[in-house]
Amino acid sequence: MSKKITISDFKNLQAQFEGELYFDNSAAHQAQKVIYSTDASVYQEKPLAVAIPQNTTDLQHLIRLANQFQITLIPRSAGTSLAGQVVGKGIVVDISKYFTQILEINTSERWVRVQPGVIRDDLNAILKPYGLLFGPETSTSSRAMIGGMIGNNSCGLHSIVWGDTRDHLLAAKVLLSDGTETTFEDIEKPAFYEKARLQNLEGDIYREVHKALNNPFSQDAIEKAFPKKSLTRRNTGYALDILSDNEIFQHNSGKTFNFCRLLAGSEGTLAFVTEAKLRLLPLPPQEAALVCIHCNSIADSLHANLIALKYRPMASELVDKYILDFTNGHHEYHKNRFFIEGDPKAILMVEFMANSQDEITQIANTMIDELKAAGYGYAYPIIRGQDTKPAWDVRKAGLGLIRNLPGDLQPVNLIEDCAVLPEDLPNYIADLQELLAKHQLNASYYAHAGAGELHVEPMINLKTLEGKELFRTVLKETAVLVKKYGGSLSGEHGDGRLRGEFIEYMMGTEVYGLFREIKKIFDPKNIFNAHKIVDTPPMNEFLRFEAGKAKPQIDTIFDFSKQESILRLAEKCSGSGDCRKTQVTGGTMCPSYMATRQEKDTTRARANVLRQFLTNSDKPNRFAHEEIKEVMDLCLSCKGCKSECPSQVDITKMKAEFLQHYYDTNGIPLRTKMVGNFTQSQALGMLMPRVYNFFASNTFTSKLIKKTLGFAQQRTLPTLGKTTLRDWQIKRLKTQEKRQKNSIASLKTKASKARKQGKVYLFCDEFTNYNDVELGQKTILLLTALGYEVHIPMHLESGRTYLSKGLVRDAQKIAIQNVQLLAKALEDQSPILGIEPSAILTLRDEYLDLVPPEYRAQAELVADNTYLIDEFLAQEIDKKRITKDLFTKEKKLIKLHGHCHQKALSSLIPTKKLLSLPENYEVQLIPSGCCGMAGSFGYEEEHYETSMKIGELVLFPTIRQQSNDVIIAAPGTSCRHQIKDGTNRIALHPVEILWNALND
């Protein structure tokens, strides 16, 4: 019996480990272990430790430790597996941070050599200029990594043409279970026998595998057990059918042998991949189109699929009503519904690619004619060009979208990976629907109809004992159906610990015995991902939810009733990893992850940690855990998750709520109080603005201030205007003469020849009122020049600074007063306009969930009548109330960086429209996510480095590339400060640019 590992043993390893190790009982280490206790599956088990190796030597240290103490190593990349492949009580080994290099691209022979942490879509972005791509395309391709794709033998969207990962894995450099390094690649028969003569583990593998498979009994058992050979999606157990078909075992000659065929789909149980050589394909034809066949039933769509396949499409994918309905009202996906006609029960998305749209049209119309004649479908819109991407995004987001289903009855990954031949699919699904109806279960049906594999997700409540048992019963009974049709229990998602229990039933005792033998040959001490594929625990154990456990009652300040509760909102995270975006694929969430590439800095990690502690805490204050604080620390509250997460897991809201309760137990830090009370400090400073600005600007005093508050010395402190905007406006309104003599207005005689446009209210936010006063003045003058009567109503600050630091109760008091004051002002139905996105959008977002029920109607009235000034002016342009003849014809190029809150809660389209009003102004969006400043976040000493890393991803390099005559636009005050600190360029608010463009 092996010795039990101790903290001291891990410390000894740490001394020689170049990467990162998390193993002790500190909050930081415990948080990491909680994060890695789950993936995108329904399983959860806390690991002994988490390792983030930096190189192969680190991996060899881990292998030696695992052998010494008989601990399993669980390889993990993006953690998007659905069958619990990367969950277990061992050491989780995350290669996603450091094993990310593209090592070699060979264009003439069409292959690439990569490390396992390379992301599929990022790889293809780099390969595109060479006219090449790596074909297998999972719906998670924006974060799925090559190592995980090899482990699961991923197929994806276009597998009916491009095949699976196994088809493209030419060679793999691996570490064997004794730590030795070898390469699996094509070898001829003499080389195979030469390998088999080696007196080491590698030799044992070649020799013993040959012995196990090179006999009539094994060959016969394999022939009988495996799915139909024409079924392309077959991923149950180890791929012995493919291996045993090889000439090495068939006594043929002249061909090659490659253990990569076995490695693909082995879920990290046989060897640890450190490099992979992948076959590449030429880019497909440039012209593409989607025929979206609207059907009245799932059955009709599956028969339509058989007709579609006759026309050799690139893909044929199903999206059902559940998914389509959840796009309704979703900020990110609602706009993608443009192709949906009526209320289809299912849409079959059939993609064609060709050298011309005429060629596609001819094929599509012929197919549509046949579908009509057969009575399948009622609408057949053809989506072309760039419009295909948002349509495909609906299909790819299916896993996350259906997690928006209210209640504890949720879709579960269970029978979502069963595959049969496409021609068997209609009958198989009909039988399956009958099976589910017997258990009174609804299900979502979507994905790979063209390959014979629908992702069927039945709705089961896993929080009940009955649901836990039903979970197993449905898989057991479905296995019988799959076997009846000669299908595979797993098509591409793998066995893991979900389907492992039923492999012996599917494949028979003899073949299951061979699987066990293969595992033992490669891994005698069972150190590689133990209890996956073979010898798995019962499939309904170690679930995320403890069946029968009472639901905790958690009181909150924010109203979480729309999401049912704060716990339910955290539970909505499907684990699909949409938050693991990079600057290559783009998007806003999650900026800190983009900079650190640490799982703990993802939306998923934050949701999972919050869920686990709120569910299982034994403290009176369930929020009072350092582990939660640890994972929330680098959340910039950008709100990207609220829009970009298919399940709309709003971490910004949950972080603010958490911090308030955490402070209730631990007290409020000085810096937090100072940032929250920013408006009060600025108001006090306005008593003597010159003195305030001296202390804020002077090198010696500003250094002391920053040191006292814990701000980074590299930052410049904000200074005050000569007057507040509110005071300036009061004085301005006294007489027309004073307006004309104003220092800014006198710069140009921008005559207000425009007709009277009506009255508008300008929300005088705290940043514009005290710091960006000149911007506020230009805003008022611009609106006046365009014919609007501008009034600043009575109101308090927005409360943004309090919310950003988690002082939710203070923000609530402000919100209550503001909705009353502003609702009264709105009696004349004039709109409220705001300059600073983070402040004005607080009225549209947080206020609705922050005020008590008795003020809800007023909050909704305010929200409905509140606009970013960009939005308002863009609407006025659409109404022809503002025309380009009022502006210069000078030619300018503008590079626009959008504020995170604007991208999440509004859009950059109005801003682009506004800036494009002068007829020779060209506006280009900078493809940046968050700037990295995020209010006070980028000021804070411990966050400064992360803040600047975020800026360096896209924003700073793009700006540095621009000549001085290019205008940089940024609506957010924090963004403009970050751009100045990071690039020494001055960015302008869109209003300033438009003001400068007005004709004299």
Side-chain angles (χ1 to χ4, degrees), residues 75-80 86 93-96 116-117 143-149 580 599 604:
R76 173 173 169 140
S77 50
T80 57
V86 298
V93 184
D94 184 352
I95 52 83
S96 68
R143 58 269 189 203
M145 297 177 175
I146 299 302
M149 294 183 75
R580 288 179 64 99
E599 172 67 19
R604 175 174 69 181

Side-chain angles (χ1 to χ4, degrees), residues 481-683:
L481 274 185
V482 173
K483 194 168 184 178
K484 167 187 170 183
Y485 286 99
S488 178
L489 200 60
S490 169
E492 63 170 339
H493 295 164
D495 300 310
R497 57 200 305 168
L498 175 61
R499 286 171 275 269
E501 184 183 352
F502 294 99
I503 293 176
E504 185 169 5
Y505 166 77
M506 294 297 298
M507 309 304 291
T509 304
E510 294 85 355
V511 170
Y512 188 69
L514 285 173
F515 290 164
R516 277 180 162 162
E517 190 173 349
I518 293 295
K519 167 66 173 171
K520 190 171 183 180
I521 290 168
F522 274 84
D523 185 17
K525 291 188 177 180
N526 202 25
I527 68 160
F528 285 146
N529 213 7
H531 310 304
K532 313 292 163 56
I533 300 182
V534 297
D535 299 319
T536 61
M539 55 79 69
N540 57 353
E541 292 185 1
F542 300 101
L543 301 180
R544 275 192 186 192
F545 303 110
E546 184 180 339
K549 185 171 184 175
K551 187 184 298 184
Q553 180 64 43
I554 302 169
D555 294 326
T556 59
I557 303 157
F558 273 114
D559 181 2
F560 286 90
S561 59
K562 289 179 183 175
Q563 299 85 22
E564 299 173 77
S565 69
I566 186 172
L567 177 57
R568 183 72 192 92
L569 178 56
E571 289 174 352
K572 283 173 67 175
C573 176
S574 68
S576 60
D578 298 72
C579 44
R580 288 179 64 99
K581 293 183 176 180
T582 72
Q583 73 275 16
V584 179
T585 48
T588 300
M589 78 164 177
C590 181
S592 52
Y593 170 75
M594 290 186 189
T596 68
R597 295 298 179 93
Q598 291 266 36
E599 172 67 19
K600 82 173 183 68
D601 299 321
T602 63
T603 301
R604 175 174 69 181
R606 293 167 185 139
N608 275 328
V609 168
L610 193 59
R611 170 182 60 81
Q612 293 192 53
F613 279 101
L614 290 184
T615 301
N616 302 310
S617 176
D618 55 3
K619 292 186 177 184
N621 181 354
R622 290 174 180 264
F623 294 93
H625 288 274
E626 292 298 321
E627 292 88 345
I628 307 177
K629 186 172 181 289
E630 179 73 22
V631 297
M632 292 293 184
D633 181 54
L634 291 188
C635 171
L636 281 75
S637 299
C638 69
K639 296 183 186 285
C641 49
K642 182 165 185 173
S643 61
E644 294 178 16
C645 171
S647 305
Q648 299 178 294
V649 179
D650 186 354
I651 291 294
T652 298
K653 182 179 175 182
M654 291 195 286
K655 178 188 178 182
E657 185 74 41
F658 153 71
L659 284 173
Q660 179 67 82
H661 295 280
Y662 180 85
Y663 298 148
D664 289 346
T665 296
N666 297 283
I668 304 172
L670 172 64
R671 186 176 66 191
T672 296
K673 291 179 181 178
M674 291 298 294
V675 172
N677 289 292
F678 171 81
T679 304
Q680 283 68 30
S681 69
Q682 302 305 283

